[in-house]
Amino acid sequence: MEIVWWLLATLVSSVLAVWFVVYPRIINDATWYGFFSERMYLYAFPPFFAAAAFYSMREASRGFGHVWPDWFAQVTIGVTGLLMILGLLAALGMPVPPFLTPKWVRERRKQDREERRRRREAKKSAKEDEAVANEG
């Protein structure tokens, strides 16, 4: 019965890993943009579910009597563990290469930066106008 649970975990975590990689790239906008959940969806969830998929695959194959070679288990779990650490750092705000972020997110972030710059400049010019009016 334990093998069934590991196979189910393998299936679910594999589907979720693929979903969290593909879904943000096929949509044009999301309600989670601009919140902490954006970074979780883009950077933390995919490697977590990939690691869960590899671990559950390893345990399911062990249940069938086939043990992964040590080097293969170390490489797969090690690589996905490293990706999880990098995903967590990216979720906490570390800059990531542009190819890891969907195009619509990059474009929207650029628009947001331009809007913040415009607001700062408008606020600065309003303060300068106020200072000139107070002097005169």
Side-chain angles (χ1 to χ4, degrees), residues 121-134:
E121 288 175 358
K123 190 175 180 180
K124 185 179 177 182
S125 66
K127 283 184 180 181
E128 289 174 356
D129 291 345
E130 183 180 318
V132 169
N134 288 339

Side-chain angles (χ1 to χ4, degrees), residues 19-28 32 41-42 102 104-105:
W19 175 255
F20 281 112
V21 169
V22 173
Y23 173 68
R25 283 146 182 83
I26 61 173
I27 62 174
N28 292 328
W32 41 260
Y41 275 96
L42 293 176
W104 71 268
V105 172

Side-chain angles (χ1 to χ4, degrees), residues 48-109:
F48 171 77
F49 286 117
F54 278 116
Y55 182 78
S56 56
M57 276 189 261
R58 188 180 99 189
E59 292 300 315
S61 67
R62 185 178 290 167
F64 284 116
H66 175 66
V67 180
W68 286 11
D70 286 340
W71 67 268
F72 187 67
Q74 290 172 351
V75 167
T76 55
I77 300 300
V79 168
T80 54
L82 177 66
L83 290 174
M84 283 176 54
I85 291 169
L86 293 175
L88 179 63
L89 291 173
L92 293 175
M94 181 183 83
V96 294
F99 66 87
L100 292 177
T101 306
K103 185 176 181 180
W104 71 268
V105 172
R106 289 192 310 267
E107 291 171 355
R108 187 144 171 206
R109 286 179 183 167

